[in-house]
Amino acid sequence: MSTRLILIGPPGVGKGTQSALLHARLGLKTMSSGDIFRKEIEAETDLGRMAQRYIQHGELVPNGVTIEMMAKRLRDEDTRKKGFVLDGFPRTDRQAEALDEILFEMDMGLDKVISIEVPEETILHRLAGRMGCTKCGEIYHSRNKPPMREGLCDKCNGPLFVRTDDQPQTILERLRVFKETTEPVIGYYEKTGTLLRVDGSVGPEETYQEILAGITA
Ligand code: ADP
Ligand code: ZN
């Protein structure tokens, strides 16, 4: 089965968790623009240095470089064979149009755009306290899901880190940018009839089941 999905929603809504489940259980190739930027930053590439200036303030990286970066990955033959989950892209109307063009060129369509929805208070609570494993990507939370040993991953012993953009001021800015710039993209897909709304406040497994039901319906 080759399924093509987009996950869209405010920061902290669980897009990363759902794309990991979709990868593990359906074998879909996951492409997270945020993760790709973080890898570029870590590798200290020119793109990483440039992106970092925006990311640390909760602003979006400019469309041109973001589109180019994602287009390169989408054009890989793997995406055609295995299907894909896009997490964090498209985030602007311009990016959504560019994605349409890339998919048209490749003669591929989108199956579903999944909007994960959660009340704002929940988001603030989730993001403040979030930690991730530098090795395996597992996500922890200081109150909701603390690791057994402070600063270390339960699964692989890797060191945990707090994202530099998970500071309270930056979180508020990311939410503002989402409402202003990314929410209209949801409307764009609503018009084309590919939108699936799921509840992101019920727990990862329940959300996953809603997604599964929606994409196999
Ligand atoms: P979250 O969804 O939790 O805010 P991401 O990991 O998806 O986090 O993205 C982190 C940051 O990377 C964003 O705040 C933004 O600066 C940048 N970024 C990610 N995806 C895009 C995109 N499609 N366009 C522009 N900037 C992006
Ligand atoms: Zn780990």
Side-chain angles (χ1 to χ4, degrees):
M1 185 171 71
S2 166
T3 309
R4 298 155 194 146
L5 306 173
I6 292 176
L7 294 178
I8 195 163
V13 85
K15 301 185 295 289
T17 304
Q18 294 304 320
S19 58
L21 288 170
L22 286 159
H23 171 70
R25 298 187 189 172
L26 301 182
L28 305 181
K29 176 175 164 151
T30 57
M31 288 174 271
S32 156
S33 46
D35 283 351
I36 299 171
F37 282 134
R38 280 185 286 279
K39 290 207 181 90
E40 296 282 337
I41 292 169
E42 208 187 330
E44 298 181 11
T45 63
D46 287 343
L47 174 61
R49 265 188 286 274
M50 192 274 262
Q52 169 75 342
R53 298 208 305 267
Y54 298 91
I55 293 177
Q56 68 187 0
H57 296 117
E59 304 298 334
L60 294 182
V61 179
N63 281 327
V65 282
T66 305
I67 291 166
E68 194 188 326
M69 177 181 91
M70 297 307 287
K72 209 162 71 195
R73 282 171 174 77
L74 277 159
R75 290 195 180 110
D76 194 291
E77 264 315 295
D78 253 23
T79 50
R80 189 189 302 282
K81 279 189 245 134
K82 297 186 190 163
F84 60 79
V85 187
L86 284 171
D87 160 7
F89 180 88
R91 243 180 170 90
T92 67
D93 285 335
R94 178 71 201 99
Q95 292 178 12
E97 286 160 17
L99 176 63
D100 278 350
E101 284 159 26
I102 297 163
L103 293 176
F104 179 79
E105 247 173 57
M106 295 181 73
D107 198 17
M108 297 198 304
L110 279 174
D111 293 299
K112 279 273 183 282
V113 175
I114 301 159
S115 164
I116 310 184
E117 308 188 345
V118 157
E120 191 163 316
E121 315 85 78
T122 314
I123 290 176
L124 291 173
H125 184 80
R126 279 189 193 169
L127 289 175
R130 175 163 83 166
M131 294 168 280
C133 174
T134 47
K135 274 201 198 155
C136 76
E138 183 74 6
I139 309 284
Y140 296 86
H141 191 280
S142 54
R143 278 155 306 180
N144 304 344
K145 189 190 169 195
M148 286 185 297
R149 288 147 309 159
E150 198 175 318
L152 291 178
C153 178
D154 295 349
K155 285 198 171 163
C156 77
N157 265 324
L160 303 183
F161 77 107
V162 176
R163 274 169 50 172
T164 53
D165 58 348
D166 276 350
Q167 315 295 337
Q169 244 348 84
T170 319
I171 290 171
L172 289 176
E173 181 58 12
R174 281 157 62 207
L175 279 172
R176 192 191 66 74
V177 169
F178 173 79
K179 282 191 203 146
E180 197 172 291
T181 313
T182 307
E183 228 159 41
V185 179
I186 298 178
Y188 176 84
Y189 289 116
E190 196 156 38
K191 281 188 222 120
T192 55
T194 42
L195 191 71
L196 171 71
R197 292 181 189 274
V198 299
D199 186 353
S201 63
V202 286
E205 190 57 38
E206 286 81 356
T207 303
Y208 178 75
Q209 291 305 327
E210 268 190 55
I211 293 176
L212 199 60
I215 62 178
T216 48

